[in-house]
Structures are given as C-alpha cells and as structure tokens.
Amino acid sequence: HVQLVESGGGSVQAGGSLRLSCAASADIYSAHCMTWFREAPGKKREGVASIYAVDGSTYYADSVKGRFTISQDSAKNILYLQMHSLKPEDTAMYYCAAAPGYRCNGGWFYSVKYNYWGQGTQVTVS
C-alpha cells in the first residue's frame, strides 16, 4: 500500500508562486505514473501535470503549460509541482496520485487510472 502526503499549499496573490510537494511512503518511482490533479468547488477533478518516473516524460494540461513544472526527487520519493504566475482560476484542492504500471500516456488525466491518492492541499489565489 502506497501512502501519499501532499504539502505546500497556501494563499497567494495572483502572479505569485507556490511549490507543492508529495511525499510517498514507498519507492514508487520505478514503475509509476505520478500525477497532480486539482478540484475546485463545483468542478470536476482535473489532471494538471504528470510524470513517468522511468524516463522522466512529462505531460501538462493546456491551462498550466508554461506556468507549472512537475518534477521528482527519486532518492527522496518526493513529487513536486512548481507553480508560477498563479491565477485565481488555479484555486483548488490539489492532489497527487499514483498509477502502478501505467506509462502516463493515453489519458493520463483520467482520475480512474490512479489507485493511490493523497489527502490534498489547498491552493487559494486571490
């Protein structure tokens, strides 16, 4: 069983930056697709950015391309999401998720593909 714990959320003004972290309880990076999702009140959960640990391939939602960067520290089993130029529409609960054996291609943004989820960290942009 993999446990994921997010941190780093907070309140910032538009144009500001935040870095989210997701600590994993096990060595998941050898064969997992790791993804950040977000969910705003009244909206569907949205895939934000994904990374395939084996080769470092990354994928982004159009809404965050050029502003957000997903990365990993495999030695520490930590996933990051660096967010710049934040907008009020980025306000949401952010979750990290892991999908064992999934290469992150073909629909990485579908939440049903992910078996493990963190509890979320709130990001508020005003």
Side-chain angles (χ1 to χ4, degrees):
H1 182 68
V2 178
Q3 290 185 310
L4 303 171
V5 180
E6 302 94 335
S7 61
S11 297
V12 295
Q13 292 188 335
S17 299
L18 281 174
R19 188 178 77 161
L20 306 183
S21 299
C22 173
S25 62
D27 181 13
I28 59 174
Y29 290 113
S30 62
H32 283 49
C33 176
M34 300 293 296
T35 297
W36 286 99
F37 286 85
R38 67 185 180 187
E39 187 170 347
K43 294 187 177 181
K44 293 173 61 176
R45 189 166 292 192
E46 173 190 20
V48 175
S50 187
I51 186 166
Y52 182 51
V54 175
D55 61 11
S57 298
T58 57
Y59 307 85
Y60 294 94
D62 288 343
S63 58
V64 305
K65 279 181 182 177
R67 299 189 299 123
F68 291 10
T69 301
I70 189 170
S71 63
Q72 62 187 24
D73 184 331
S74 299
K76 297 180 179 179
N77 288 333
I78 298 177
L79 179 74
Y80 298 104
L81 185 68
Q82 179 68 55
M83 304 184 294
H84 294 298
S85 302
L86 283 162
K87 304 175 181 180
E89 51 262 45
D90 295 318
T91 295
M93 185 71 79
Y94 283 71
Y95 301 89
C96 66
Y102 175 48
R103 292 180 58 85
C104 293
N105 55 353
W108 60 268
F109 41 83
Y110 290 122
S111 60
V112 294
K113 292 184 178 290
Y114 296 84
N115 303 73
Y116 302 107
W117 292 84
Q119 84 290 347
T121 186
Q122 178 69 37
V123 172
T124 303
V125 185
S126 59

